[in-house]
Amino acid sequence: MNCKGVIREISNYIDGELDAAVKQELERHLAHCEDCAMILDQTKKSIEILCDSEPVALPAEIHDRLHKALRAKLGKDPR
Ligand SMILES: [Zn+2]
């Protein structure tokens, strides 16, 4: 699985809706790809913040970092 695949499946992964095989592939990728691990971490944090009942806005910094990381990743992909 490449970074693009991980990013595509990341919300399903967090929701626990992935196939065991796909999940395993994704976790194998995360183990050696710091960028995707960071994206997963930030995405999880964003969701935790969103699910929190307290009126905390999603920090612009997290949103920004996530967006930049995604763009850099997708831009680097040869396809
Ligand atoms: Zn990756």
Side-chain angles (χ1 to χ4, degrees):
M1 188 181 283
N2 59 17
C3 294
K4 223 172 179 175
V6 170
I7 290 163
R8 204 184 311 129
E9 301 295 348
I10 215 155
S11 63
N12 291 333
Y13 175 68
I14 292 169
D15 290 342
E17 286 173 0
L18 278 188
D19 229 56
V22 179
K23 190 179 161 192
Q24 216 170 32
E25 256 199 80
L26 198 143
E27 280 171 349
R28 216 180 307 147
H29 181 101
L30 287 171
H32 67 77
C33 184
E34 267 182 45
D35 289 337
C36 286
M38 189 270 279
I39 288 167
L40 173 67
D41 198 53
Q42 294 300 328
T43 307
K44 266 191 189 160
K45 275 188 194 136
S46 307
I47 289 168
E48 275 164 27
I49 291 163
L50 289 173
C51 291
D52 203 321
S53 54
E54 287 192 34
V56 181
L58 179 65
E61 190 220 345
I62 289 182
H63 188 265
D64 227 51
R65 229 185 314 163
L66 185 61
H67 216 78
K68 267 187 208 145
L70 284 171
R71 263 229 295 267
K73 267 296 158 204
L74 297 175
K76 253 186 262 167
D77 197 296
R79 272 178 300 166

